[in-house]
Amino acid sequence: MRGGWGAQGGGWSWAGGRILAALAVLTAALLAFHSAVPDGAGRLGSLLEAFLPWLGAVVVALSAPALWRRSATAAVALLLPAAVWAYHFGGLLLPVERGAPDLVVVQHNVSDENTDPAGTARALIRAAPQLIALEELTPAALPLYASALAARYPHHAVEGTVGLWSTYPLAGVRRLDIRPHGIGEGWNRGLRSAVRTPHGEIAVYVAHLPSVRLGPHGFGSGPRDESARLLGAAVGAEPLDTVVLLGDLNGTVDDRGLAPVTSRTGPPRRGLAFSWPAAFPVSRIDQVLARSATVSDIRTLPATGSDHLPVAARIRFDSPSVSERTAHADAGPPVMPWAASCRRICRRPGVSSSSAGVRDPQRA
């Protein structure tokens, strides 16, 4: 019988492909239970999570020999990791949601070796964002970025090697201390600023976490993880409801080392946007995250003179605007029904608060 599921005539067979099937089940387990991979010596768990979406390529690679061998066992087993990958990452590939965003932002590590700062700035302007966050600003390049961005972005703040440019006014700008233990005091790679948008005041954080290294002792992420804990604590203590975090976090949103940050903020709903390295992007370490807001989608922009690709994101605010909350606060505390009734009684001629049985709070 040809073309059937039997072992004869070159049809699909259940007899072979057990090794392929075992590899497929292992891939599915790593996708589904990556957080169970130990992160002790060598931080293998973080290393796996840094490239977690690429386990989909393993599924594709296993599919080729499964088809060549016509192994029904392997083919069915491969459905398991394919389904788990689709559950985790398939939503990022869906069409972008319609509707105008409340805010458009651009995040870019411009590289301290960038030879064309002005050209880089012009490339970012073409995305028409309201906010631009830059990292790896050098003293020599900073005036060139500032000059190129000044006309469209009159409000800006710089702390150390990170900066924020805005079409909206900034307030309460301060340095954000995310310096890990053992690094000198000249290391300033974080800032916090309030931004007065038409939807109300929001807090914007710009951060550049320490780099990670892959060496003989494994995945070296200790300083980055410590910096992430400091950043997460700062975001958690932020008094403004809406927070937008822009930065080169040197890690993906799946990396457990960034959990102090990602547990307090939400990732983009659409888009993979691999941003590093620019020559062949394999990971998105340039992040746009938000609290009390939704990052609707994220995408990469054309390459600049940096080893990172810029990313642009659209954001929608979840909660009522700050101006609305302020208006409610200025109106005073809510009036209880009994108090309103007493006020009506007290407005009658000849009736005082004491005769109505209401205690004067000023005399309490």
Side-chain angles (χ1 to χ4, degrees):
M1 182 172 64
R2 297 181 181 272
W5 291 91
Q8 300 177 358
W12 289 83
S13 171
W14 294 97
R18 290 183 175 85
I19 294 178
L20 291 174
L23 291 174
V25 172
L26 175 61
T27 303
L30 290 175
L31 278 165
F33 306 107
H34 57 87
S35 60
V37 176
D39 203 26
R43 287 186 165 85
L44 294 179
S46 288
L47 179 60
L48 169 66
E49 290 160 345
F51 302 100
L52 197 62
W54 286 98
L55 287 180
V58 176
V59 179
V60 175
L62 293 175
S63 299
L67 292 172
W68 182 74
R69 292 172 58 91
R70 292 179 177 269
S71 170
T73 303
V76 171
L78 282 167
L79 294 176
L80 183 58
V84 178
W85 190 95
Y87 175 80
H88 279 286
F89 303 109
L92 299 175
L93 304 179
L94 294 176
V96 174
E97 298 175 354
R98 295 181 178 181
D102 295 319
L103 189 68
V104 178
V105 302
V106 162
Q107 148 60 29
H108 191 28
N109 180 326
V110 295
S111 174
D112 54 10
E113 298 179 352
N114 193 325
T115 59
D116 186 17
T120 296
R122 289 192 296 269
L124 303 183
I125 291 173
R126 283 194 284 270
Q130 288 84 46
L131 299 179
I132 297 178
L134 303 181
E135 297 84 45
E136 290 199 12
L137 295 169
T138 65
L142 178 57
L144 300 176
Y145 288 111
S147 176
L149 295 170
R152 297 282 293 272
Y153 301 90
H155 313 283
H156 81 278
V158 175
E159 291 287 345
T161 59
V162 302
L164 175 66
W165 275 260
S166 173
T167 59
Y168 304 130
L170 306 181
V173 178
R174 60 177 171 83
R175 180 172 65 89
L176 188 64
D177 187 5
I178 56 172
R179 178 169 53 92
H181 179 74
I183 295 182
E185 293 186 1
W187 192 92
N188 296 320
R189 289 165 55 163
L191 72 81
R192 180 268 183 199
S193 176
V195 178
R196 293 171 176 166
T197 77
H199 305 278
E201 193 170 69
I202 66 172
V204 176
Y205 286 70
V206 182
H208 184 191
L209 302 190
S211 300
V212 296
R213 295 288 185 266
L214 183 60
H217 300 290
F219 194 57
S221 63
R224 184 212 60 184
D225 295 351
E226 182 181 350
S227 191
R229 288 191 290 271
L230 295 170
L231 177 58
V235 171
E238 172 58 50
L240 291 178
D241 284 348
T242 302
V243 175
V244 174
L245 170 59
L246 310 167
D248 174 4
L249 303 189
N250 273 303
T252 68
V253 293
D254 298 303
D255 191 332
R256 70 191 68 181
L258 297 185
V261 176
T262 55
S263 63
R264 293 178 168 93
T265 55
R269 298 184 61 183
R270 300 285 186 271
L272 288 171
F274 293 158
S275 63
W276 181 86
F280 186 78
V282 297
S283 182
R284 188 178 80 239
I285 61 176
D286 296 274
Q287 304 295 350
V288 178
L289 308 172
R291 184 184 79 187
S292 294
T294 300
V295 184
S296 303
D297 57 86
I298 190 169
R299 61 187 175 92
T300 55
L301 301 177
T304 65
S306 172
D307 58 340
H308 292 240
L309 293 178
V311 296
R314 304 192 310 159
I315 297 173
R316 289 185 177 181
F317 299 134
D318 296 341
S319 58
S321 69
V322 174
S323 57
E324 290 175 351
R325 291 194 296 271
T326 303
H328 291 317
D330 292 343
V335 178
M336 301 304 292
W338 61 266
S341 300
C342 291
R343 288 177 184 174
R344 288 194 297 269
I345 295 173
C346 294
R347 282 197 294 268
R348 295 176 185 173
V351 179
S352 66
S353 60
S354 58
S355 62
V358 180
R359 187 180 181 184
D360 186 350
Q362 298 297 328
R363 299 177 181 176

